[in-house]
Amino acid sequence: MSHYKSNVRDIEFNLFEVLGIGELLDAGAYGDLDTDTVRNILAEVARLAEGPVAASFADADRNPVEFDAPNHAVVVPEPLRKTVEAVNEAGWSRLGLPEGMGGVPAPAPLVWAIGEMLVAANGSASFFNMGPLMASVLYTIGNEQQKHWAKEGFERGWAGTMVLTEPDAGSDVGAGRTKAIAQDDGTWHIEGVKRFISGGDVGDTAENLFHLVLARPEGAGPGTKGLSLFYVPKSHFDSETLELGERNGVYVTGVEHKMGLKSSPTCELTFGATDVPAVGWLVGDVHNGIDQMFRVIENARMGVGTKATGTLSTGYLNALEYAKERIQGADLTELTNKTAPRVAITHHPDVRRSLAMQKAYAEGLRAVYLYTAAHQNADVAELVSGADAELAARVNDLLLPIVKGVGSEKAYELLTESLQTLGGSGYLQDYPIEQYIRDAKIDTLYEGTTAIQAQDFFFRKIDRDRGVAFAHVAGRIREFIDSEAGNGRLKAERVLLETALTDVQEMAGTLTGYLMASQDQPSELYKIGLGSVRFLYAVGDLLIGWRLLVQAEVALAALDRDASAKDRSFYRGKVVIASYFAKNVLPTLTATRHILATLDTEIMELGEESF
């Protein structure tokens, strides 16, 4: 049996019953994609994910890719190769890509839901399929010749990478030293070493690979403003036909040995270190590297959060299946009765508590990333939250750190609950959860650590935005609080949500006060640094609580209709879990508000020798 357990029912519930995208689909907004077609697509993707994609999950961990040092190449084991081929042949990566390069228009929530299933079924394999995304970015921002390369490279199945990180710079991208030297023929020679490059080589699973590389042209200024973006192929090719030529001077010089995702080829790349130059082309003929690369970074951050959510979801569903079957101990009310029948561990209160939290965060995080994705299409955003295109883009930017930062941290945290549900068995490789945990930890680290996400969230997405997007989302939450839908059956939960909203708004005010005070006392910025991750988590819990309660409202309406027995169980679960989250998580935000309001800088003044 497959380790991976999809949750198509919950995805469909979000897309059609909560977000209501069927209205747009059936009106022809996305061509031939109507509601029935999308349901069929989701079912097909689930079968692909649970079958060929999941098939190499454990083998790819136990028998990871190898580094062929003499040939500067990655060697891909056969089981993983079959998975990569199955994903490529299925062709789902066309959905949502620009039509001009062969893509198919699709609403972003559908695209990300498909991505959740494929990446959660086999995270390592997903790094062999980054070519479509990189090609779409090149097609969007490149010059006419580069658009041609993007389109034809996509059709030929070329792989692609984003190349930022350097050994000494790490997350300080602006400290990068890789340089670009202009040539008389309009090309550039790239020289330097990059590290932690996911998919830096894909072996022979693709005929060619191209890197989108941040480098500093000779004479350019320091920091991120001095960086430009370059297209650097693994092998040269004919500009018109794309037939392959000689090897370019960029080589894999190491493959990282990792805690998890062991068959994701995370490479060290060396540019221009031999007598063969690493030839690159300036993307779009403009020196605007960091802004161009952020198109990739933001997509990657969304992908990280989606991956984390999907991994937690399958972890929870595996734990739930085990808990239903594992007979151990008597019911707590029969504790003193030595002859009481043994029961499934789902009868034990703490197991129920754990499963409830796993379910709440798995389904709540999914609801948040899909709500975020709804703001990546102007028509969907208008339908879902009344935002115009400009405001929708700002809301999407606001929520990305929540999807990535909160999604990755909470998924990793709750996956330990999934493992705990299995007891000692969870620690064994007989079950997939220990690998889920190892594979998921990286989600909190790459594409910007959680602290970076938290500071980006406050400084850029709230303060620099003047709180516009934040106010819009808060306004939608306030509308829900003031609504009478549900016939008063969510009245207590609405009160809890209102308190949580007030808490979060006061936290934002507190951090803004520290920022203003820093103009006279720079050390006040330390308080933002000390409190920003707590604030990020608090906003995440607020959004999860809100979206779960919105789902509960939809579920109550469905229960009032003539739902099937199976659907009634599904809807009752939605109502109870939303209420549970509101009562057990939202009240903790008040404590966080008090902590942020009383922050001091004592810990920053402590000498390093005292740690």
Side-chain angles (χ1 to χ4, degrees), residues 541-556:
D541 282 339
L542 171 68
L543 292 173
I544 290 169
W546 170 44
R547 298 315 298 172
L548 287 176
L549 287 170
V550 168
Q551 292 189 356
E553 185 175 275
V554 172
L556 283 169

Side-chain angles (χ1 to χ4, degrees), residues 77-414:
E78 187 61 24
L80 181 58
R81 181 197 310 278
K82 290 181 179 178
T83 286
V84 175
E85 289 175 354
V87 172
N88 291 339
E89 290 174 2
W92 297 117
S93 58
R94 290 186 182 274
L95 288 176
L97 294 187
E99 288 185 86
M101 61 173 284
V104 177
L110 170 62
V111 174
W112 286 112
I114 289 171
E116 177 201 324
M117 289 189 277
L118 294 177
V119 72
N122 196 333
S124 288
S126 67
F127 291 94
F128 289 79
N129 193 39
M130 296 193 298
L133 166 62
M134 302 304 164
S136 71
V137 171
L138 184 66
Y139 184 85
T140 302
I141 64 178
N143 59 30
E144 288 305 312
Q145 183 181 58
Q146 291 163 357
K147 289 179 187 293
H148 175 67
W149 294 348
K151 180 179 185 298
E152 295 304 316
F154 170 65
E155 293 296 344
R156 298 174 74 101
W158 285 9
T161 66
M162 54 187 292
V163 183
L164 293 83
T165 308
E166 298 186 17
D168 294 331
S171 295
D172 185 6
V173 176
R177 294 185 294 182
T178 295
K179 64 181 179 179
I181 305 164
Q183 305 298 302
D184 292 339
D185 63 358
T187 64
W188 297 74
H189 287 180
I190 312 300
E191 296 181 359
V193 177
K194 296 286 188 174
R195 190 183 183 198
F196 295 145
I197 307 306
S198 298
D201 189 65
V202 295
D204 57 2
T205 63
E207 71 167 10
N208 202 8
L209 178 150
F210 65 92
H211 309 285
L212 295 180
V213 184
L214 280 180
R216 194 178 309 280
E218 285 188 315
T224 56
K225 296 294 184 182
L227 297 173
S228 297
L229 188 64
F230 298 90
Y231 175 94
V232 184
K234 176 181 177 179
S235 294
H236 290 294
F237 54 89
D238 183 277
S239 289
E240 292 303 317
T241 67
L242 271 70
E243 291 300 317
L244 298 190
E246 298 296 318
R247 189 79 162 74
N248 200 5
V250 50
Y251 298 100
V252 177
T253 47
V255 175
E256 308 291 352
H257 299 279
K258 307 188 296 293
M259 169 182 170
L261 289 180
K262 293 185 177 182
S263 276
S264 162
T266 308
C267 302
E268 176 188 81
L269 294 178
T270 301
F271 296 79
T274 69
D275 56 355
V276 179
V279 180
W281 286 261
L282 181 66
V283 173
D285 299 324
V286 294
H287 293 282
N288 191 29
I290 197 65
D291 286 342
Q292 292 170 323
M293 184 60 91
F294 252 98
R295 294 173 179 264
V296 184
I297 293 171
E298 290 181 351
N299 191 289
R301 288 176 174 175
M302 184 79 177
V304 170
T306 303
K307 169 184 175 293
T309 298
T311 306
L312 173 58
S313 179
T314 186
Y316 158 65
L317 293 175
N318 273 275
L320 176 63
E321 179 180 75
Y322 181 91
K324 289 178 177 179
E325 296 173 353
R326 174 60 169 158
I327 307 300
Q328 181 175 292
D331 188 275
L332 190 61
T333 61
E334 298 283 347
L335 190 61
T336 60
N337 181 0
K338 303 305 181 185
T339 63
R342 306 297 93 176
V343 297
I345 62 173
T346 51
H347 288 257
H348 301 325
D350 192 64
V351 173
R352 285 282 175 123
R353 174 206 59 78
S354 177
L355 290 171
M357 293 301 285
Q358 293 172 55
K359 178 178 173 67
Y361 274 103
E363 297 180 7
L365 288 169
R366 176 179 293 119
V368 169
Y369 90 65
L370 288 172
Y371 183 80
T372 303
H375 290 82
Q376 295 168 7
N377 303 108
D379 57 346
V380 183
E382 173 66 30
L383 173 71
V384 169
S385 79
D388 60 25
E390 189 271 338
L391 179 56
R394 295 165 85 153
V395 171
N396 178 59
D397 284 345
L398 172 77
L399 298 181
L400 278 176
I402 301 293
V403 173
K404 195 282 182 187
V406 177
S408 62
E409 290 285 359
K410 291 301 180 180
Y412 182 70
E413 175 187 333
L414 272 297

Side-chain angles (χ1 to χ4, degrees), residues 421-501:
T421 304
L422 274 67
S425 294
Y427 202 63
L428 304 178
Q429 291 191 337
D430 302 53
Y431 297 90
I433 300 178
E434 64 84 26
Q435 186 179 334
Y436 290 162
I437 291 175
R438 289 187 288 107
D439 286 355
K441 180 54 193 171
I442 187 62
D443 297 335
T444 70
L445 303 173
Y446 59 17
E447 308 310 334
T449 63
T450 307
I452 289 173
Q453 300 298 321
Q455 291 186 32
D456 174 67
F457 181 67
F458 176 72
F459 286 118
R460 293 184 68 245
K461 307 305 174 60
I462 294 181
D463 179 67
R464 190 180 300 180
D465 187 52
R466 297 293 186 264
V468 172
F470 188 67
H472 176 76
V473 174
R476 303 292 78 73
I477 297 174
R478 170 57 61 185
E479 286 180 2
F480 174 82
I481 292 168
D482 294 340
S483 170
E484 293 297 323
N487 289 330
R489 286 170 290 185
L490 296 174
K491 183 173 292 186
E493 290 80 1
R494 279 186 163 88
V495 171
L496 291 167
L497 183 64
E498 181 175 32
T499 300
L501 175 61

